[in-house]
Amino acid sequence: MMSRRVNSENPDRLYTVTGGRSRADHSTMDMVTLVVSECDPAPGMQSEHARILQMCARPMAVVEISSELSLPISVVRILLGDLLDSGRITARRPPPIPARAQLPDPEILKQVLVGLQKL
């Protein structure tokens, strides 16, 4: 029995899913970009596009979409680009990681570690 992952990486299927395209037009969309649906799937829509719209009713990262669809990130980015161009999704980067100044004082962390070791 073949796994779902192996079946989905069939080059002929991937060619069909992307319409023969091999690169995403939206290079700013990386693995942690959050995607949110702006509408419901429309009748006759490509099944992968429809699944993405259903999955992204709540924000979902590109890498999570790739995993759920069992498709390579490069293919998912092409599909997301289609949906973004048609206004069916919104894509945004997650909030930035706090600056170093906002991290706990290393001395306090050392004291916590010593306290834990004494337990």
Side-chain angles (χ1 to χ4, degrees):
M1 178 185 227
M2 294 181 77
S3 77
R4 209 171 129 201
R5 186 78 174 160
V6 172
N7 288 335
S8 69
E9 290 187 8
N10 176 329
D12 293 336
R13 178 175 182 268
L14 298 179
Y15 182 87
T16 302
V17 166
T18 62
R21 295 168 291 160
S22 61
R23 291 184 183 242
D25 294 334
H26 297 278
S27 59
T28 58
M29 200 178 312
D30 60 19
M31 292 190 304
V32 296
T33 298
L34 297 175
V35 177
V36 180
S37 301
E38 295 296 331
C39 64
D40 291 326
M45 178 180 276
Q46 182 177 338
S47 62
E48 290 82 7
H49 286 145
R51 285 205 50 215
I52 290 169
L53 290 176
Q54 291 167 343
M55 289 186 308
C56 295
R58 296 179 186 218
M60 188 173 227
V62 172
V63 70
E64 293 173 298
I65 297 167
S66 174
S67 176
E68 285 290 320
L69 293 177
S70 296
L71 290 171
I73 294 257
S74 58
V75 171
V76 170
R77 287 180 62 215
I78 292 169
L79 296 171
L80 291 172
D82 296 341
L83 293 170
L84 189 62
D85 289 343
S86 65
R88 294 180 175 185
I89 62 168
T90 302
R92 65 179 182 268
R93 306 257 324 150
I97 297 172
R100 180 164 169 72
Q102 296 174 347
L103 295 176
D105 180 16
E107 194 56 43
I108 292 174
L109 293 176
K110 287 178 189 174
Q111 290 173 6
V112 169
L113 183 59
V114 169
L116 289 173
Q117 289 171 340
K118 289 181 180 180
L119 290 178

